[in-house]
Amino acid sequence: MKNIALFVLGIAVVCFFVAHHYKVGWLKAISEAAMVGGIADWFAVVALFKHPLGIPIPHTALIPNNKDAIGQNLGSFVSDEFLIKEKLEIKLDEFDFATKATNWLKNEENSTKIASLLVENVIPGVLKTIDDTDVKNFIQQQFEIKLQQLNFSEWIALGLESLSKSDKQTEFITNVLTVLASELETNRIEIDEKVKSATPWYTMGVADKKIAKGVYNGLYEFLNSAKEPDSTIREKINLYVFNFIEELKNAPEMQQKINSIIIDFTQKEEFQNYIGSIWQEIKKAVTEDINNGEESKIKISLARMISNFGLTIQNDIVMTTKINNFLKIDLLGILLRNKKAIGDLIANSMQSWDKKEIADKLELEVGKDLQFIRINGTVVGGIVGLFIYFVELFI
């Protein structure tokens, strides 16, 4: 645009020399006025952003020299003219943020964009920022706190009570006794050796076999007898289970003992290391999943969740009304309470900008249109010059 404006001015200069050479009065009048108009408007346009030809002429480079005042006036203009309750209320009512936001969120493409942003940027950043040792200690501490708050005796009692009221208890005890009888039979030789090693040497092994046989037969008959549901031994076992359940439910000492056993077990190094390794497993699983790109289950789930959230909110009139009321009441109040700070922020931001930088940026934004001033000045100047020429002839 500068070149075009310069070209138009160049035409006026050429016309001037042609008119002077051939003594064409009216063309000379047009070209003289056009050159004056074009050069004057060039000066005016340049003077807005810099010193013409680098000469520090007073009242030139207006924008860079007055950027602080411009920033202050712009800040005041925004805070005084735009941040007014009546205008903001009208705009917020017209905008209907809740509907626009939910429409945007429920769109599959948009929900996928948000999910991609979270999966590709936010989650990896969070995983890198988090200290593994801190997370491990946190999990262990929280696990221990939760364990201390639980009453394991009640759980065990509830489970055993439910078992005792069904046929499962009878079946379970029978199976246990069957297994014990089978193990007894399998280890008969070992029983013989144990008895032999425990008897005096002077028996010469005569009593060993009888004692071992008696021990084995006695235990075997006891277990077989206990397997019968109506046997006296089974009744004693059932009574023992019943008393144990009642003790778990009502005896503080037993409850404390059970809880202490479980908590002591969780304090073992192996168990603590296992609890601490949970974070590493989670981190590994998340990292592997987000590296799958478009196939990431986390990304797909997040996109679906965001889309469903938008759809759910949109269909919830109460929620959309609350969101819009929040903007209208709370956000409006925030803006009004801080409108001076917003104006000061604009002013301070412009004051912090470099003079040359702001002049260059503004010139790039509006300079193209300003070049029409130079073109129009050249053309209009030529027309005015022609008009004055004819007026002079007439007079």
Side-chain angles (χ1 to χ4, degrees), residues 322-340:
K322 285 183 177 180
I323 293 173
N324 285 331
N325 285 341
F326 163 76
L327 290 173
K328 186 175 180 179
I329 298 173
D330 296 347
L331 183 59
L332 181 61
I334 293 171
L335 289 172
L336 293 176
R337 286 194 299 272
N338 295 279
K339 69 176 188 175
K340 185 179 184 304

Side-chain angles (χ1 to χ4, degrees), residues 66-86:
N66 293 279
K67 72 178 183 66
D68 292 349
I70 293 172
Q72 192 66 47
N73 291 332
L74 181 60
S76 299
F77 177 73
V78 171
S79 61
D80 295 338
E81 297 297 327
F82 285 95
L83 300 180
I84 299 174
K85 182 178 180 181
E86 292 75 15

Side-chain angles (χ1 to χ4, degrees), residues 190-337:
E190 188 176 347
I191 293 173
D192 292 342
E193 294 295 328
K194 293 287 185 183
V195 173
K196 183 178 179 180
S197 64
T199 54
W201 62 270
Y202 54 79
T203 60
M204 304 297 290
V206 176
D208 296 350
K209 291 183 180 180
K210 289 185 178 182
I211 294 173
K213 184 177 181 180
V215 171
Y216 173 79
N217 289 338
L219 289 172
Y220 194 79
E221 288 177 6
F222 175 82
L223 293 174
N224 281 331
S225 175
K227 285 193 290 183
E228 298 297 329
D230 299 330
S231 65
T232 304
I233 298 172
R234 180 60 70 87
E235 290 178 359
K236 289 182 179 180
I237 292 174
N238 291 337
L239 180 61
Y240 173 79
V241 172
F242 175 79
N243 290 335
F244 181 68
I245 292 172
E246 290 300 313
E247 197 171 2
L248 285 174
K249 291 166 61 177
N250 303 312
E253 292 182 1
M254 177 60 76
Q255 293 176 356
Q256 182 64 38
K257 187 182 294 184
I258 295 294
N259 289 342
S260 296
I261 291 172
I262 294 175
I263 291 175
D264 288 343
F265 172 76
T266 61
Q267 297 302 312
K268 292 184 178 296
E269 184 179 355
E270 296 83 356
F271 190 84
Q272 288 290 315
N273 289 337
Y274 170 74
I275 294 299
S277 68
I278 292 175
W279 165 244
Q280 293 296 336
E281 294 297 325
I282 294 173
K283 185 176 179 179
K284 180 181 176 183
V286 171
T287 303
E288 289 177 351
D289 181 80
I290 62 179
N291 288 334
N292 290 331
E294 296 300 321
E295 301 299 323
S296 169
K297 293 181 180 178
I298 295 176
K299 180 178 178 179
I300 294 171
S301 298
L302 281 173
R304 188 183 302 115
M305 181 181 68
I306 293 168
S307 179
N308 290 338
F309 174 77
L311 184 61
T312 302
I313 295 297
Q314 188 178 57
N315 294 330
D316 190 334
I317 298 175
V318 175
M319 185 58 69
T320 54
T321 303
K322 285 183 177 180
I323 293 173
N324 285 331
N325 285 341
F326 163 76
L327 290 173
K328 186 175 180 179
I329 298 173
D330 296 347
L331 183 59
L332 181 61
I334 293 171
L335 289 172
L336 293 176
R337 286 194 299 272

Side-chain angles (χ1 to χ4, degrees), residues 37 49 109 161 201 220 237 242 290 342 346 361 382:
F49 304 102
E109 181 180 351
E161 190 172 33
W201 62 270
Y220 194 79
I237 292 174
F242 175 79
I290 62 179
I342 295 171
I346 296 172
K361 285 184 177 181

